[in-house]
Amino acid sequence: QKEVEQNSGPLSVPEGAIASLNCTYSDRGSQSFFWYRQYSGKSPELIMSIYSNGDKEDGRFTAQLNKASQYVSLLIRDSQPSDSATYLCAVKGSSNTGKLIFGQGTTLQVKP
Amino acid sequence: DVKVTQSSRYLVKRTGEKVFLECVQDMDHENMFWYRQDPGLGLRLIYFSYDVKMKEKGDIPEGYSVSREKKERFSLILESASTNQTSMYLCASSFIGESSYNEQFFGPGTRLTVL
């Protein structure tokens, strides 16, 4: 079982719709959770961090964390073609090394 | 803003050459990381360092070494480049410790081609 799992996609949504990206993790002691956006040929860019159960909103982005079920999700409201990218879920496990475990990423396509 | 810079965006080397990739961060981060990213394989950790002169192997250290002589600089060395080391190399840095959530910030990446 992979430590951090994401559906590779592609996930295709029409412009203006809500895109829902999901991630599950295996280490129950995981502490911090991150979403990165990566455009083709570019490096990952941190867009959301979440540490406590519940929702965290930042503009059109909402991160949701459920530690009991070991999943974290990212909702993108009013999706725009510029949101088309690969979204990487990253998890800081129970160790204190500072290492993050990355999922393989979900490719999102927003169609005009 | 956190800034992580890498010495080259694109690099072409020949098989057997010694290759140096350099990374510099300006946020006084303790942790620094080297990843490679290949299609279908995701981000894979090569080495990381949590302090000057300290290093730990990641998931795929074979064929690579690292050097951290100063806190802000972390170098990745390919002792004898091979074609299977053609990849995108990404450097990242983060704070360490209980007061930090360990967000990693990435440099722009170096696309290395070994011929």
Side-chain angles (χ1 to χ4, degrees):
Chain A
Q1 181 190 5
K2 292 181 183 176
E3 295 180 74
V4 177
E5 291 206 48
Q6 296 180 254
N7 188 325
S8 61
L11 173 65
S12 183
V13 300
E15 184 174 356
I18 296 175
S20 178
L21 305 162
N22 299 311
C23 171
T24 58
Y25 60 93
S26 59
D27 183 349
R28 190 168 285 278
S30 296
Q31 304 168 19
S32 309
F33 307 85
F34 309 97
W35 284 100
Y36 288 82
R37 178 177 61 201
Q38 187 174 23
Y39 293 115
S40 181
K42 303 294 186 183
S43 63
E45 172 194 12
L46 180 66
I47 55 171
M48 289 288 285
S49 307
I50 188 165
Y51 319 111
S52 305
N53 277 328
D55 294 0
K56 179 182 178 183
E57 188 174 317
D58 184 1
R60 294 186 296 112
F61 298 97
T62 299
Q64 300 175 316
L65 174 61
N66 183 325
K67 289 187 178 181
S69 300
Q70 294 176 241
Y71 83 79
V72 56
S73 61
L74 179 70
L75 301 178
I76 307 174
R77 289 183 301 282
D78 189 23
S79 295
Q80 300 297 309
S82 59
D83 294 325
S84 298
T86 296
Y87 290 80
L88 301 173
C89 173
V91 176
K92 179 180 183 295
S94 49
S95 72
N96 289 321
T97 62
K99 288 195 297 185
L100 299 183
I101 308 300
F102 286 85
Q104 294 273 352
T106 298
T107 299
L108 174 66
Q109 297 174 346
V110 181
K111 298 191 173 179
Chain B
D1 276 358
V2 175
K3 188 151 189 190
V4 181
T5 57
Q6 296 183 229
S7 48
S8 306
R9 291 300 309 274
Y10 300 94
L11 208 53
V12 180
K13 295 292 181 180
R14 298 226 173 256
T15 302
E17 280 193 78
K18 191 167 187 175
V19 182
F20 293 87
L21 303 182
E22 296 231 309
C23 175
V24 177
Q25 51 92 7
D26 67 356
M27 280 301 293
D28 203 34
H29 284 165
E30 296 89 353
N31 286 334
M32 295 188 75
F33 306 84
W34 275 108
Y35 297 90
R36 65 177 283 178
Q37 188 175 35
D38 302 286
L41 296 177
L43 275 171
R44 291 183 291 169
L45 181 63
I46 303 171
Y47 267 99
F48 72 101
S49 169
Y50 52 89
D51 201 352
V52 174
K53 297 190 185 297
M54 305 304 290
K55 62 185 179 185
E56 284 202 22
K57 294 179 180 179
D59 301 317
I60 51 162
E62 296 79 18
Y64 303 94
S65 61
V66 291
S67 172
R68 193 163 179 204
E69 297 296 319
K70 293 185 177 182
K71 189 175 186 179
E72 67 270 20
R73 189 179 298 269
F74 192 35
S75 301
L76 179 69
I77 303 152
L78 286 66
E79 296 289 343
S80 177
S82 63
T83 55
N84 62 13
Q85 293 179 309
T86 292
S87 186
M88 170 74 101
Y89 289 88
L90 292 160
C91 175
S93 69
S94 72
F95 282 118
I96 199 170
E98 294 298 323
S99 62
S100 162
Y101 296 110
N102 300 124
E103 298 98 330
Q104 289 185 16
F105 298 92
F106 285 84
T110 296
R111 186 164 293 281
L112 172 67
T113 301
V114 182
L115 301 176

